[in-house]
Amino acid sequence: MEYTELGRSGLKVAKICLGTMTFGRQVSEADAHALMDHAVARGVDFLDTAEMYPVPPSAETHTHTESIIGRWLAARPGMRQRIVLASKVAGPVRGYQWIRNASPDLTGEDIIRACEDSLRRLQTDYLDLYQIHWPVRNVPMFGAIYFDPARDRPVSSIHEQLDALGRLVRDGKVRAIGLSNETPYGVAEFVRVAEQHGLPRIASVQNPYCLINRSVENGLDETMYRYGVSLLAYSPLGFGLLTGKYDDSGIELQGGRAPGRMALFESMRKQRWGRPEALAAARRYNALAREHGMTPARMALAFCYTKWQVASTIIGVTNREQLDEDIDAWGTTLSPEVLAEIDRIRWEIRDPAQ
């Protein structure tokens, strides 16, 4: 496995990261432990989680993923020193009434308490990377694409958020900090405020990046490049659409096949990945992969693995077969012909899962 530095933090991470949002919902604790064992054995020693996981989130299951990872670490002395562990604090409430009593803000003290709670669940003294899961300020995200100034409201400043993250770094509870679901403005402002006030610089941004959502390339990639901030690409398989498993049957639950999360959860089908245009686009890319002798998943992952914009690609799996397939795609090179065809398709359909 190859490694890369996140931003200017000095933190080295594997080029493939194991996402864990299925642990505790689609994946049992025993199976999750086995998957993490296998991932580490294969060189994927970078794990990403969040206080709100598993997904789809619920009052009954939130925080369970971190607890599953904590028990895995506790049962394996020395494992904590072998892995890079990242987690995230949820932003202001998005219908999740069970997180901070549905607060519309995320204060500095909220960040401190959330991190300390995550450390207890994860049974560790520190996190290698701690991220704000989504912006505190008014921002179009998770399928919304238009900024609406009328939705602005008083919330904690970026300075306050950075100051809290800086306290965690100074106390040795966090090694590096990052953002998620951010915009070019957000990246630039977090860097500016950090440099102005002598606070920790963000090392990374975790945003969606895949064949059906390349919105990172519409300005965020230049911003991150200029400021020395790394991209952690999530949903490289477009919530399963880019594996081809929904090509014939669609995303509604059908008999005769193992259901994926899009088929299992109605809430997922209502999101950007469930748009008819997203599936139509995925079918085009999947057909291209097959025409060139690849599985759809291999082509989609190779696209992320080889893009200069991506520091590490976050893969999400529910079984060992999927994990091996995702890791085995590492090293795949896409020909100039395939890359040109990918760009041609994108020119026609743009980013339907943005």
Side-chain angles (χ1 to χ4, degrees):
M1 182 53 57
E2 293 184 18
Y3 289 77
T4 189
E5 181 180 356
L6 281 189
R8 302 173 186 173
S9 67
L11 181 64
K12 295 290 184 69
V13 301
K15 296 284 286 183
I16 300 177
C17 173
L18 179 62
T20 62
M21 73 176 190
T22 60
F23 295 178
R25 193 76 186 257
Q26 289 177 267
V27 179
S28 70
E29 179 160 345
D31 288 342
H33 288 189
L35 285 171
M36 289 186 282
D37 286 338
H38 189 59
V40 172
R42 293 211 55 186
V44 178
D45 54 6
F46 181 18
L47 275 62
D48 178 74
T49 189
E51 68 169 348
M52 65 167 278
Y53 288 171
V55 170
S58 73
E60 295 73 29
T61 63
H62 90 287
T63 74
H64 285 195
T65 301
E66 286 187 329
S67 296
I68 287 171
I69 296 172
R71 289 188 286 270
W72 175 73
L73 287 171
R76 291 157 178 78
M79 181 62 77
R80 180 66 187 91
Q81 289 70 43
R82 295 176 56 191
I83 66 167
V84 174
L85 183 59
S87 192
K88 299 182 283 291
V89 53
V93 66
R94 298 180 58 250
Y96 309 142
Q97 306 298 317
W98 54 90
I99 297 178
R100 282 179 286 282
N101 296 316
S103 171
D105 196 4
L106 178 68
T107 68
E109 288 304 315
D110 290 336
I111 292 172
I112 299 292
R113 285 194 298 270
C115 181
E116 291 173 346
D117 288 343
S118 287
L119 291 174
R120 281 191 289 272
R121 288 189 292 267
L122 290 162
Q123 301 193 48
T124 182
D125 295 328
Y126 69 97
L127 287 166
D128 295 288
L129 177 67
Y130 196 48
Q131 306 149 99
I132 297 176
H133 207 152
W134 56 86
V136 179
R137 68 191 189 282
N138 167 37
V139 171
M141 55 186 164
F142 300 116
I145 58 176
Y146 299 115
F147 174 69
D148 181 3
R151 297 175 65 88
D152 273 359
R153 63 194 185 282
V155 292
S156 300
S157 67
I158 286 175
H159 187 189
E160 179 179 343
Q161 296 163 53
L162 272 173
D163 188 64
L165 292 168
R167 286 167 54 190
L168 292 170
V169 172
R170 289 193 301 273
D171 291 344
K173 296 174 181 178
V174 169
R175 293 179 62 195
I177 63 170
L179 306 173
S180 186
N181 300 294
E182 252 309 346
T183 68
Y185 167 81
V187 172
E189 189 66 2
F190 267 88
V191 171
R192 184 192 70 80
V193 172
E195 292 181 344
Q196 179 180 348
H197 296 279
L199 295 166
R201 235 172 162 275
I202 56 170
S204 61
V205 173
Q206 184 179 145
N207 270 31
Y209 186 60
C210 64
L211 292 172
I212 57 175
N213 183 349
R214 293 170 61 179
S215 55
V216 161
E217 296 174 328
N218 298 336
L220 182 59
D221 55 352
E222 181 191 4
T223 304
M224 297 178 73
Y225 174 77
R226 302 291 183 197
Y227 284 104
V229 177
S230 295
L231 175 66
L232 303 179
Y234 77 74
S235 294
L237 295 176
F239 263 55
L241 270 64
L242 292 166
T243 67
K245 63 185 173 184
Y246 301 113
D247 281 4
D248 295 332
S249 59
I251 60 175
E252 298 295 331
L253 187 60
Q254 304 280 340
R257 63 179 171 88
R261 67 173 67 100
M262 293 296 291
L264 282 172
F265 304 114
E266 182 182 5
S267 61
M268 296 294 186
R269 295 194 294 275
K270 292 180 178 179
Q271 297 179 23
R272 53 188 159 169
W273 311 104
R275 294 170 182 158
E277 297 86 354
L279 180 57
R283 285 170 170 152
R284 293 274 302 278
Y285 290 116
N286 297 341
L288 176 64
R290 296 184 185 102
E291 288 169 11
H292 289 269
M294 292 177 284
T295 65
R298 179 174 287 268
M299 187 183 82
L301 288 167
F303 175 80
C304 285
Y305 289 166
T306 56
K307 293 290 281 188
W308 69 263
Q309 290 94 335
V310 178
S312 186
T313 301
I314 302 174
I315 57 172
V317 302
T318 57
N319 58 61
R320 180 166 170 163
E321 181 182 10
Q322 291 176 349
L323 179 57
D324 280 328
E325 180 182 17
D326 290 0
I327 298 173
D328 289 343
W330 177 259
T332 300
T333 301
L334 300 181
S335 69
E337 177 187 6
V338 170
L339 290 171
E341 190 64 17
I342 286 172
D343 282 344
R344 187 183 71 79
I345 294 172
R346 193 211 180 194
W347 184 254
E348 295 178 18
I349 60 180
R350 298 297 168 146
D351 300 306
Q354 180 179 351

